[in-house]
Every structure is written in structure tokens, then in C-alpha cells.
Amino acid sequence: MQLSHTRPVAAARFDDPNLMSTAGLVPVMALAQASGLLTLADQQLSVPTDKGANPGRKVASLVGGMVGGADSIADLAILRHGAMGTIFDRPYAPSTLGSFLREFTFGHVRQLDAVASRFLSNLAEKTPLVTGIDTGRVLVDIDDTIIEVHGHGKQGSGYGYSGVRGLNALIATVTTETAAPVILTQRLRRGACGSARGAARMVADALTTVDRLRSQARGAHVGCSSGDGASKPLIRCDSAFYGHPTIGAATRAGADVSVTVRLTSTIKRAIASIDADESAWTPIEYTDAVYDEGTDTWISRAEVAEIPFTAFASQRKAHQIPGRLVVRRIPDLRPPKDQGQGQGTLFDIWRFHAFFTTTDPDDLDTVAADKTHRQHAIVEQVHADLKNSALAHLPSNSFSANAAWLVCAVMAFNVTRAAGTLTADPKLTKATTGTLRRTIVSVPARIACSARRLTLHLPTDWPWETAWNNLFDSTFGRNQSIIT
């Protein structure tokens, strides 16, 4: 593609007050408003002084700016260009929103957590955001990540397991067989804290939210049990969370667990007892695997096996949790340091990866349990999505302000995901935030006023016109069939 020869560009002027660059914010923020974001923030937040006035509009401005692509306080100026002041009532200046965030304390962040939880429930009620949560398998993933910061002025920053200075963000997501992951709970912690710190509380909060979403999907009372034949939620996490506080919190709440274990001496003895029996190993679909239709099996060098196992057997009886130890072994292709060049080994050297699970073998056999556990990596994609959006930076020196920023980023993620489900486009239903922003949010538009009503004029031949119209019609009540 090259510039036109017949009509060359002669000038550029920023002089049109009727243009906006993010027309998709209109239906997205209409969805947020219909889901009670402003009302919930007004009811729950008690930020003091004049800087805490109108918390609903300020939280909505933060979320809207993040949906539009803001990843710092200065970027929130995207709300104050062209026709934005005509379409939205009094968009706040970045300095005002920054002052609002800096007034937050830990208690105010917890209030905002309550807003985010209730907002998620309302989104799930109005959109097919968590379809299948009341009937199919529910997967809850917990993981943390380090958000890199620079300078010593950031409160709570430190060097964590990644070796870079940052703050630690812990999130829990929920995924169903038909729905992409959405974020249930979130917590910002100091950079040098251990991964499992506070995870037990987060597990309890996440499962409470799951139970509420399930009850809501069935049209039952919020306080009812999550029974009715539905499978237990499955908590998945890595080895950093293998401990009784986290796993015990999950089992007490009625969930199953699937947790990677460290190769301690106890685990190595259990693996050795399996490794002695070659018939116990089953080939699985893995890298370079070939499916043999004649024998209906996989021909693969990766294999799995399991053994009954009691977690925390050395602790008191109340802490012991019976389950299964599932082990995957793959050939170790790394040459030994003392091996001569070109010299092969006489037998395979295996690398073992084990995880502990309490799932029923009749529900998830060894192969299925291993495949389900490996899909835990989906939570890392959510972390990457957040870091590619509002969490590219933590904009304030105040720890509480950054914690509030994380909660707003989570609400922006969830409402963007909910908007994607209303497009009725299979490619956008599970798309990343960046894709949704590029296709349905960052759409330029010109406004026209007639009979005191505004009309948005968008580009002709926009590739995602149908998806955008589906979202617009759904949020403004013109297509009630999509809203559940």
C-alpha cells in the first residue's frame, strides 16, 4: 500500500469537534452502566474529601479509559477529545482521576473489590459471559505475576521470584467448557511476597463468587447450594500453591484441586514406585505424538501414570487430604555434562512432572486429568492480556492507588469480555482485549445531532460492522434475544 498520487495529503488539522476515535466505548459503557457499575461504586465507596466525590462516575471513567486503551493516568486523556464531551457527561481530567486514586486506603480497595464482584455478577446476568457455569465443568485457575516497576519510589516494590523489581498481582479466573476466562478476584501484593500468601482467602472468595454465579444462572436464590448434580469446581494452580492452607480452603469449600507438586523426597519415592512398573504408563497426545487409528492409541514418547496418594501425610490427621498423584514422564534430551560428543545413552533418562488431584477417577481418568491440568496455562494468557492493556504500568507511587488501579483493570477486562460475547461473532467471543479493542472499540465516528438525538456515523466497509451493530443493538435494547 502506498500514498495516493492523485489526491496527495496536503495538510492535517485537529479541528473537528464532532469526531471521536473510540466509538465502541458507547455500547461498552452502556453495558457497564446497565450492569450497575456507577450505582455500585456510589453505594460501596466511601473515599473521603472532595477528591472522593462522585465515585461512580470516576470509577466508570477509569474503566472506560482502560477499555479505550489507557495504561497510565496520563493516558486517561483519551476520554477528553473531540465529541467525547458531547456523548458522555463530564469526562474527568486525568489529574482528577489521579487525585481520586491517591485517596484510597486498603479499606477502600476492599470496597472496590466488592464493587468488582457484584459488577461481574450483573454482567453475567445480562450477557452470556459465563455460559455453562451451572451445568458443565467449572475451572478456577489461580496464579500470580510480577508487574515490573522502575525506581525505589513505588510503595511495596521489591525483587520477587522473577528477579526484577515489581509488585505482585494475584488473580483467580473462571473458565467453562463454552466460555472464555473471566477474572473472579484479584489482589495486589508487595513484590517480594511468596506466591501462596493470601491464596487461601482468595480461593474462598473465588469459590463463593462461583457459587453465586451458578445459583444466579439457575435462577435460584443466591444462598443456595451449588448441587443439583453439577460437577464440583476444579481449582488448578502450580507448585507454589501446594500447601495445606490453599488446598484445604478449596476442599472445605467443596471443590476439587489439581496442583503441581515439587519433586521432594516423598514425591520421588512415589514416582519410583510407579516407574518400576512399565505397564502402568499410558502414551498421551503430546509434542510429536502420532495417532494410530488401527490401535486407537497415541504413539508418543510422553506417558502418564498415577498412584493413590495422601497429601501432607506428615501433618496432623485433619490436614491430610487423600487423592491421586498423576505423573507425566518425557525423555530428557539434554546431554549429560560428562557425556562425550556424539555418544548416545544405553537407556532413556526421564524427566518427571507430577501433580496432586482430588478428582474422581471415573470423572477424569489419568489421561484426561493430565490434559485438564496442563490447560492451567490459560491463566498466564490472562496475565499477558492484562499486561498488554491497563497493567502495562502501575501508575502511582501509592500502593493503595495501584491496588485500586488493578481492580479497575479487572473490571475493564471483564466488561470488554462481556461486550465480545454480545457481538455474536465466534472469533470475538473468546478474543483477547487487544483484538476486541482494535475491532469494536477503537472505531472512529462522527456525531450528528437531529431532534436532540445523536447519531454516530462510522466508516463504511468496516470489517466488523455486523459484530459492532450486534453489540450496539444488544446494549440499547434493540436485540433482546442475545441478552439472557
Side-chain angles (χ1 to χ4, degrees):
M1 184 171 65
Q2 65 180 8
L3 291 174
S4 172
H5 289 289
T6 57
R7 294 184 180 180
V9 176
R13 298 185 182 91
F14 291 88
D15 59 358
D16 196 329
N18 295 319
L19 289 178
M20 61 183 303
S21 65
T22 52
L25 281 180
V26 175
V28 172
M29 295 313 295
L31 174 61
Q33 187 169 333
S35 300
L37 176 59
L38 283 76
T39 303
L40 288 169
D42 283 333
Q43 291 174 347
Q44 297 291 329
L45 289 177
S46 59
V47 181
T49 75
D50 61 317
K51 296 179 177 61
N54 301 317
R57 289 189 176 187
K58 290 177 179 176
V59 169
S61 295
L62 288 164
V63 172
M66 293 176 178
V67 172
D71 61 21
S72 66
I73 293 176
D75 285 351
L76 294 170
I78 194 174
L79 301 175
R80 291 166 64 86
H81 72 275
M84 295 291 286
T86 304
I87 294 177
F88 297 98
D89 288 337
R90 295 189 307 167
Y92 283 100
S95 59
T96 302
L97 298 175
S99 298
F100 172 66
L101 288 173
R102 286 188 289 272
E103 287 296 317
F104 271 69
T105 64
F106 174 77
H108 298 130
V109 175
R110 293 298 291 157
Q111 291 174 351
L112 195 58
D113 286 338
V115 173
S117 178
R118 290 163 174 79
F119 181 53
L120 174 60
S121 296
N122 293 346
L123 286 173
E125 184 178 6
K126 291 186 173 295
T127 70
L129 182 62
V130 287
T131 54
I133 196 169
D134 57 327
T135 55
R137 179 170 298 280
V138 177
L139 304 170
V140 178
D141 295 290
I142 297 179
D143 200 8
D144 64 332
T145 187
I146 299 295
I147 304 173
E148 186 175 6
V149 301
H150 303 278
H152 300 274
K154 298 279 187 180
Q155 289 183 347
S157 65
Y159 293 95
Y161 56 81
S162 65
V164 299
R165 174 178 286 276
L167 294 171
N168 187 299
L170 178 66
I171 66 169
T173 66
V174 62
T175 312
T176 70
E177 295 173 350
T178 56
V182 295
I183 302 176
L184 293 170
T185 56
Q186 62 290 314
R187 197 84 74 245
L188 187 69
R189 307 173 300 173
R190 63 187 182 88
C193 79
S195 294
R197 180 178 179 181
R201 173 66 180 271
M202 176 164 283
V203 166
D205 290 347
L207 291 175
T208 298
T209 303
V210 167
D211 188 65
R212 183 167 63 246
L213 291 173
R214 277 185 154 182
S215 301
Q216 178 179 285
R218 292 193 303 267
H221 189 269
V222 172
C224 74
S225 172
S226 61
D228 297 343
S231 61
K232 294 180 180 180
L234 177 61
I235 300 286
R236 300 184 295 190
C237 41
D238 60 29
S239 61
F241 299 89
Y242 181 72
H244 180 265
T246 303
I247 296 179
T251 55
R252 286 193 301 272
D256 284 323
V257 298
S258 182
V259 188
T260 305
V261 297
R262 303 179 185 89
L263 292 181
T264 62
S265 57
T266 302
I267 299 299
K268 289 179 179 179
R269 285 195 298 270
I271 293 175
S273 67
I274 304 175
D275 200 33
D277 183 9
E278 283 295 325
S279 63
W281 297 94
T282 303
I284 61 172
E285 180 183 2
Y286 207 69
T287 305
D288 299 329
V290 177
Y291 185 71
D292 186 353
E293 295 183 356
T295 60
D296 195 30
T297 59
W298 285 98
I299 301 175
S300 172
R301 300 195 70 185
E303 301 170 324
V304 293
E306 70 169 73
I307 189 174
F309 186 79
T310 299
F312 321 119
S314 62
Q315 300 184 21
R316 57 193 177 96
K317 190 172 183 179
H319 284 185
Q320 297 175 11
I321 302 175
R324 302 183 285 159
L325 184 71
V326 179
V327 183
R328 180 174 72 255
R329 71 178 187 180
I330 59 177
D332 190 349
L333 302 179
R334 298 170 299 179
K337 294 181 180 179
D338 56 349
Q339 180 177 311
Q341 186 174 4
Q343 182 179 355
T345 58
L346 296 178
F347 51 88
D348 284 332
I349 300 176
W350 299 98
R351 296 173 62 188
F352 295 96
H353 305 268
F355 65 92
F356 171 76
T357 181
T358 59
T359 54
D360 188 342
D362 295 332
D363 187 22
L364 285 177
D365 60 19
T366 308
V367 175
D370 174 73
K371 184 176 181 179
T372 301
H373 181 76
R374 281 187 277 130
Q375 292 169 347
H376 166 65
I378 195 171
V379 70
E380 298 180 5
Q381 297 175 2
V382 175
H383 276 302
D385 195 326
L386 289 172
K387 289 183 177 180
N388 194 37
S389 304
L391 286 191
H393 306 91
L394 287 172
S396 178
N397 285 339
S398 167
F399 180 85
S400 295
N402 288 327
W405 182 270
L406 170 63
V407 182
C408 290
V410 165
M411 289 191 285
F413 175 90
N414 287 342
V415 73
T416 305
R417 177 76 71 199
T421 64
L422 292 182
T423 63
D425 186 335
K427 294 181 179 179
L428 297 181
T429 300
K430 297 185 178 182
T432 63
T433 299
T435 299
L436 292 170
R437 184 183 304 122
R438 184 178 66 255
T439 55
I440 64 174
V441 176
S442 297
V443 188
R446 181 190 299 274
I447 66 168
C449 184
S450 177
R452 301 183 65 182
R453 291 179 179 272
L454 296 176
T455 300
L456 297 179
H457 294 276
L458 293 88
T460 59
D461 299 326
W462 186 255
W464 303 277
E465 176 181 349
T466 301
W468 199 97
N469 282 331
N470 286 337
L471 171 60
F472 185 85
D473 292 342
S474 297
T475 52
F476 285 93
R478 300 175 185 175
N479 192 351
Q480 296 292 342
S481 61
I482 294 182
I483 301 179
T484 58

mmCIF file of all heavy atoms in Angstrom, residues 253-284:
data_model
loop_
_atom_site.group_PDB
_atom_site.id
_atom_site.type_symbol
_atom_site.label_atom_id
_atom_site.label_comp_id
_atom_site.label_asym_id
_atom_site.label_seq_id
_atom_site.Cartn_x
_atom_site.Cartn_y
_atom_site.Cartn_z
ATOM 1 N N ALA A 253 -14.439 -25.809 50.851
ATOM 2 C CA ALA A 253 -15.499 -25.136 50.095
ATOM 3 C C ALA A 253 -16.180 -26.074 49.108
ATOM 4 O O ALA A 253 -17.048 -25.645 48.345
ATOM 5 C CB ALA A 253 -14.918 -23.939 49.348
ATOM 6 N N GLY A 254 -15.788 -27.350 49.109
ATOM 7 C CA GLY A 254 -16.451 -28.319 48.255
ATOM 8 C C GLY A 254 -15.901 -28.417 46.853
ATOM 9 O O GLY A 254 -16.591 -28.920 45.951
ATOM 10 N N ALA A 255 -14.682 -27.964 46.618
ATOM 11 C CA ALA A 255 -14.076 -28.008 45.289
ATOM 12 C C ALA A 255 -13.033 -29.109 45.215
ATOM 13 O O ALA A 255 -12.480 -29.556 46.233
ATOM 14 C CB ALA A 255 -13.446 -26.664 44.948
ATOM 15 N N ASP A 256 -12.751 -29.561 44.011
ATOM 16 C CA ASP A 256 -11.613 -30.434 43.762
ATOM 17 C C ASP A 256 -10.392 -29.578 43.470
ATOM 18 O O ASP A 256 -10.504 -28.391 43.153
ATOM 19 C CB ASP A 256 -11.891 -31.355 42.575
ATOM 20 C CG ASP A 256 -12.831 -32.493 42.930
ATOM 21 O OD1 ASP A 256 -12.730 -33.000 44.058
ATOM 22 O OD2 ASP A 256 -13.664 -32.865 42.085
ATOM 23 N N VAL A 257 -9.215 -30.199 43.564
ATOM 24 C CA VAL A 257 -7.972 -29.480 43.289
ATOM 25 C C VAL A 257 -7.134 -30.259 42.294
ATOM 26 O O VAL A 257 -7.238 -31.490 42.184
ATOM 27 C CB VAL A 257 -7.155 -29.226 44.581
ATOM 28 C CG1 VAL A 257 -7.921 -28.350 45.554
ATOM 29 C CG2 VAL A 257 -6.751 -30.547 45.233
ATOM 30 N N SER A 258 -6.307 -29.526 41.571
ATOM 31 C CA SER A 258 -5.305 -30.104 40.673
ATOM 32 C C SER A 258 -4.087 -29.199 40.769
ATOM 33 O O SER A 258 -4.049 -28.123 40.172
ATOM 34 C CB SER A 258 -5.845 -30.170 39.240
ATOM 35 O OG SER A 258 -4.909 -30.764 38.373
ATOM 36 N N VAL A 259 -3.096 -29.623 41.559
ATOM 37 C CA VAL A 259 -1.993 -28.757 41.941
ATOM 38 C C VAL A 259 -0.663 -29.437 41.632
ATOM 39 O O VAL A 259 -0.427 -30.581 42.040
ATOM 40 C CB VAL A 259 -2.038 -28.407 43.451
ATOM 41 C CG1 VAL A 259 -0.999 -27.351 43.783
ATOM 42 C CG2 VAL A 259 -3.420 -27.942 43.857
ATOM 43 N N THR A 260 0.192 -28.747 40.910
ATOM 44 C CA THR A 260 1.532 -29.250 40.650
ATOM 45 C C THR A 260 2.288 -29.396 41.969
ATOM 46 O O THR A 260 2.130 -28.572 42.886
ATOM 47 C CB THR A 260 2.299 -28.293 39.725
ATOM 48 O OG1 THR A 260 1.529 -28.080 38.543
ATOM 49 C CG2 THR A 260 3.656 -28.851 39.346
ATOM 50 N N VAL A 261 3.089 -30.447 42.086
ATOM 51 C CA VAL A 261 3.849 -30.681 43.316
ATOM 52 C C VAL A 261 5.338 -30.539 43.018
ATOM 53 O O VAL A 261 5.795 -30.738 41.889
ATOM 54 C CB VAL A 261 3.559 -32.079 43.906
ATOM 55 C CG1 VAL A 261 2.101 -32.197 44.291
ATOM 56 C CG2 VAL A 261 3.941 -33.183 42.919
ATOM 57 N N ARG A 262 6.085 -30.187 44.040
ATOM 58 C CA ARG A 262 7.544 -30.149 43.930
ATOM 59 C C ARG A 262 8.102 -31.566 44.037
ATOM 60 O O ARG A 262 7.501 -32.433 44.665
ATOM 61 C CB ARG A 262 8.141 -29.271 45.037
ATOM 62 C CG ARG A 262 7.618 -27.840 45.044
ATOM 63 C CD ARG A 262 8.261 -27.060 46.185
ATOM 64 N NE ARG A 262 7.715 -25.725 46.310
ATOM 65 C CZ ARG A 262 6.658 -25.406 47.056
ATOM 66 N NH1 ARG A 262 6.046 -26.369 47.749
ATOM 67 N NH2 ARG A 262 6.207 -24.178 47.117
ATOM 68 N N LEU A 263 9.251 -31.790 43.430
ATOM 69 C CA LEU A 263 9.866 -33.117 43.468
ATOM 70 C C LEU A 263 10.644 -33.292 44.770
ATOM 71 O O LEU A 263 11.877 -33.338 44.798
ATOM 72 C CB LEU A 263 10.769 -33.313 42.253
ATOM 73 C CG LEU A 263 10.031 -33.391 40.908
ATOM 74 C CD1 LEU A 263 11.026 -33.603 39.774
ATOM 75 C CD2 LEU A 263 8.998 -34.506 40.916
ATOM 76 N N THR A 264 9.907 -33.390 45.868
ATOM 77 C CA THR A 264 10.513 -33.648 47.172
ATOM 78 C C THR A 264 10.855 -35.129 47.285
ATOM 79 O O THR A 264 10.524 -35.941 46.411
ATOM 80 C CB THR A 264 9.539 -33.243 48.291
ATOM 81 O OG1 THR A 264 8.354 -34.052 48.185
ATOM 82 C CG2 THR A 264 9.141 -31.779 48.170
ATOM 83 N N SER A 265 11.501 -35.491 48.373
ATOM 84 C CA SER A 265 11.875 -36.893 48.567
ATOM 85 C C SER A 265 10.642 -37.792 48.624
ATOM 86 O O SER A 265 10.652 -38.923 48.113
ATOM 87 C CB SER A 265 12.698 -37.045 49.852
ATOM 88 O OG SER A 265 11.970 -36.553 50.976
ATOM 89 N N THR A 266 9.553 -37.310 49.228
ATOM 90 C CA THR A 266 8.313 -38.095 49.298
ATOM 91 C C THR A 266 7.750 -38.340 47.909
ATOM 92 O O THR A 266 7.329 -39.451 47.567
ATOM 93 C CB THR A 266 7.286 -37.374 50.173
ATOM 94 O OG1 THR A 266 7.823 -37.164 51.479
ATOM 95 C CG2 THR A 266 6.003 -38.177 50.276
ATOM 96 N N ILE A 267 7.726 -37.281 47.098
ATOM 97 C CA ILE A 267 7.185 -37.399 45.737
ATOM 98 C C ILE A 267 8.087 -38.292 44.894
ATOM 99 O O ILE A 267 7.609 -39.116 44.107
ATOM 100 C CB ILE A 267 7.047 -36.009 45.100
ATOM 101 C CG1 ILE A 267 6.084 -35.135 45.914
ATOM 102 C CG2 ILE A 267 6.582 -36.121 43.659
ATOM 103 C CD1 ILE A 267 4.682 -35.684 46.006
ATOM 104 N N LYS A 268 9.402 -38.185 45.078
ATOM 105 C CA LYS A 268 10.319 -39.026 44.295
ATOM 106 C C LYS A 268 10.133 -40.502 44.632
ATOM 107 O O LYS A 268 10.217 -41.354 43.740
ATOM 108 C CB LYS A 268 11.760 -38.586 44.556
ATOM 109 C CG LYS A 268 12.108 -37.244 43.929
ATOM 110 C CD LYS A 268 13.554 -36.851 44.241
ATOM 111 C CE LYS A 268 13.903 -35.510 43.597
ATOM 112 N NZ LYS A 268 15.296 -35.088 43.901
ATOM 113 N N ARG A 269 9.877 -40.821 45.891
ATOM 114 C CA ARG A 269 9.643 -42.223 46.262
ATOM 115 C C ARG A 269 8.351 -42.738 45.624
ATOM 116 O O ARG A 269 8.287 -43.881 45.147
ATOM 117 C CB ARG A 269 9.574 -42.362 47.781
ATOM 118 C CG ARG A 269 10.932 -42.281 48.473
ATOM 119 C CD ARG A 269 10.838 -42.784 49.903
ATOM 120 N NE ARG A 269 9.931 -41.969 50.707
ATOM 121 C CZ ARG A 269 10.299 -40.899 51.404
ATOM 122 N NH1 ARG A 269 11.572 -40.511 51.381
ATOM 123 N NH2 ARG A 269 9.419 -40.225 52.110
ATOM 124 N N ALA A 270 7.332 -41.881 45.599
ATOM 125 C CA ALA A 270 6.069 -42.278 44.966
ATOM 126 C C ALA A 270 6.259 -42.495 43.469
ATOM 127 O O ALA A 270 5.722 -43.456 42.895
ATOM 128 C CB ALA A 270 5.002 -41.216 45.225
ATOM 129 N N ILE A 271 7.029 -41.625 42.816
ATOM 130 C CA ILE A 271 7.290 -41.771 41.383
ATOM 131 C C ILE A 271 8.089 -43.036 41.112
ATOM 132 O O ILE A 271 7.835 -43.770 40.141
ATOM 133 C CB ILE A 271 8.027 -40.530 40.842
ATOM 134 C CG1 ILE A 271 7.106 -39.295 40.902
ATOM 135 C CG2 ILE A 271 8.510 -40.758 39.414
ATOM 136 C CD1 ILE A 271 7.786 -38.006 40.506
ATOM 137 N N ALA A 272 9.046 -43.319 41.974
ATOM 138 C CA ALA A 272 9.869 -44.522 41.796
ATOM 139 C C ALA A 272 9.018 -45.783 41.867
ATOM 140 O O ALA A 272 9.270 -46.760 41.142
ATOM 141 C CB ALA A 272 10.973 -44.556 42.846
ATOM 142 N N SER A 273 8.013 -45.791 42.724
ATOM 143 C CA SER A 273 7.147 -46.965 42.832
ATOM 144 C C SER A 273 6.324 -47.169 41.566
ATOM 145 O O SER A 273 5.990 -48.312 41.214
ATOM 146 C CB SER A 273 6.221 -46.828 44.045
ATOM 147 O OG SER A 273 5.282 -45.769 43.846
ATOM 148 N N ILE A 274 5.994 -46.053 40.864
ATOM 149 C CA ILE A 274 5.275 -46.171 39.589
ATOM 150 C C ILE A 274 6.240 -46.572 38.484
ATOM 151 O O ILE A 274 5.936 -47.419 37.634
ATOM 152 C CB ILE A 274 4.586 -44.840 39.218
ATOM 153 C CG1 ILE A 274 3.653 -44.375 40.336
ATOM 154 C CG2 ILE A 274 3.801 -44.980 37.932
ATOM 155 C CD1 ILE A 274 3.042 -43.009 40.084
ATOM 156 N N ASP A 275 7.417 -45.963 38.491
ATOM 157 C CA ASP A 275 8.379 -46.143 37.401
ATOM 158 C C ASP A 275 8.841 -47.587 37.286
ATOM 159 O O ASP A 275 9.266 -48.039 36.211
ATOM 160 C CB ASP A 275 9.569 -45.213 37.626
ATOM 161 C CG ASP A 275 10.356 -44.965 36.343
ATOM 162 O OD1 ASP A 275 9.733 -44.946 35.261
ATOM 163 O OD2 ASP A 275 11.581 -44.776 36.432
ATOM 164 N N ALA A 276 8.745 -48.329 38.380
ATOM 165 C CA ALA A 276 9.188 -49.721 38.356
ATOM 166 C C ALA A 276 8.245 -50.598 37.543
ATOM 167 O O ALA A 276 8.634 -51.685 37.102
ATOM 168 C CB ALA A 276 9.291 -50.258 39.784
ATOM 169 N N ASP A 277 7.015 -50.150 37.333
ATOM 170 C CA ASP A 277 6.024 -50.931 36.592
ATOM 171 C C ASP A 277 5.794 -50.287 35.225
ATOM 172 O O ASP A 277 5.053 -49.311 35.103
ATOM 173 C CB ASP A 277 4.717 -50.996 37.382
ATOM 174 C CG ASP A 277 3.662 -51.853 36.691
ATOM 175 O OD1 ASP A 277 4.011 -52.525 35.695
ATOM 176 O OD2 ASP A 277 2.504 -51.834 37.148
ATOM 177 N N GLU A 278 6.420 -50.810 34.189
ATOM 178 C CA GLU A 278 6.315 -50.223 32.859
ATOM 179 C C GLU A 278 4.896 -50.294 32.302
ATOM 180 O O GLU A 278 4.503 -49.481 31.474
ATOM 181 C CB GLU A 278 7.281 -50.927 31.898
ATOM 182 C CG GLU A 278 8.729 -50.511 32.066
ATOM 183 C CD GLU A 278 8.953 -49.046 31.725
ATOM 184 O OE1 GLU A 278 8.286 -48.534 30.806
ATOM 185 O OE2 GLU A 278 9.784 -48.400 32.389
ATOM 186 N N SER A 279 4.116 -51.289 32.736
ATOM 187 C CA SER A 279 2.752 -51.432 32.228
ATOM 188 C C SER A 279 1.819 -50.349 32.749
ATOM 189 O O SER A 279 0.690 -50.216 32.257
ATOM 190 C CB SER A 279 2.200 -52.806 32.605
ATOM 191 O OG SER A 279 2.112 -52.937 34.024
ATOM 192 N N ALA A 280 2.249 -49.582 33.751
ATOM 193 C CA ALA A 280 1.381 -48.555 34.326
ATOM 194 C C ALA A 280 1.331 -47.289 33.481
ATOM 195 O O ALA A 280 0.439 -46.456 33.672
ATOM 196 C CB ALA A 280 1.865 -48.208 35.730
ATOM 197 N N TRP A 281 2.258 -47.157 32.526
ATOM 198 C CA TRP A 281 2.367 -45.927 31.766
ATOM 199 C C TRP A 281 1.521 -45.977 30.492
ATOM 200 O O TRP A 281 1.494 -46.979 29.789
ATOM 201 C CB TRP A 281 3.826 -45.647 31.404
ATOM 202 C CG TRP A 281 4.681 -45.444 32.626
ATOM 203 C CD1 TRP A 281 5.417 -46.384 33.272
ATOM 204 C CD2 TRP A 281 4.848 -44.228 33.344
ATOM 205 N NE1 TRP A 281 6.046 -45.838 34.362
ATOM 206 C CE2 TRP A 281 5.716 -44.501 34.429
ATOM 207 C CE3 TRP A 281 4.366 -42.930 33.186
ATOM 208 C CZ2 TRP A 281 6.103 -43.533 35.342
ATOM 209 C CZ3 TRP A 281 4.754 -41.960 34.096
ATOM 210 C CH2 TRP A 281 5.612 -42.262 35.150
ATOM 211 N N THR A 282 0.834 -44.855 30.217
ATOM 212 C CA THR A 282 -0.019 -44.736 29.038
ATOM 213 C C THR A 282 0.472 -43.599 28.159
ATOM 214 O O THR A 282 0.610 -42.460 28.644
ATOM 215 C CB THR A 282 -1.480 -44.455 29.449
ATOM 216 O OG1 THR A 282 -1.931 -45.499 30.319
ATOM 217 C CG2 THR A 282 -2.382 -44.373 28.230
ATOM 218 N N PRO A 283 0.748 -43.831 26.868
ATOM 219 C CA PRO A 283 1.157 -42.725 25.988
ATOM 220 C C PRO A 283 0.041 -41.703 25.836
ATOM 221 O O PRO A 283 -1.141 -42.041 25.849
ATOM 222 C CB PRO A 283 1.445 -43.430 24.653
ATOM 223 C CG PRO A 283 1.670 -44.861 25.011
ATOM 224 C CD PRO A 283 0.797 -45.138 26.192
ATOM 225 N N ILE A 284 0.399 -40.433 25.682
ATOM 226 C CA ILE A 284 -0.584 -39.357 25.585
ATOM 227 C C ILE A 284 -0.301 -38.485 24.376
ATOM 228 O O ILE A 284 0.778 -38.543 23.780
ATOM 229 C CB ILE A 284 -0.566 -38.469 26.854
ATOM 230 C CG1 ILE A 284 0.817 -37.811 27.026
ATOM 231 C CG2 ILE A 284 -0.975 -39.254 28.076
ATOM 232 C CD1 ILE A 284 0.866 -36.780 28.127
#
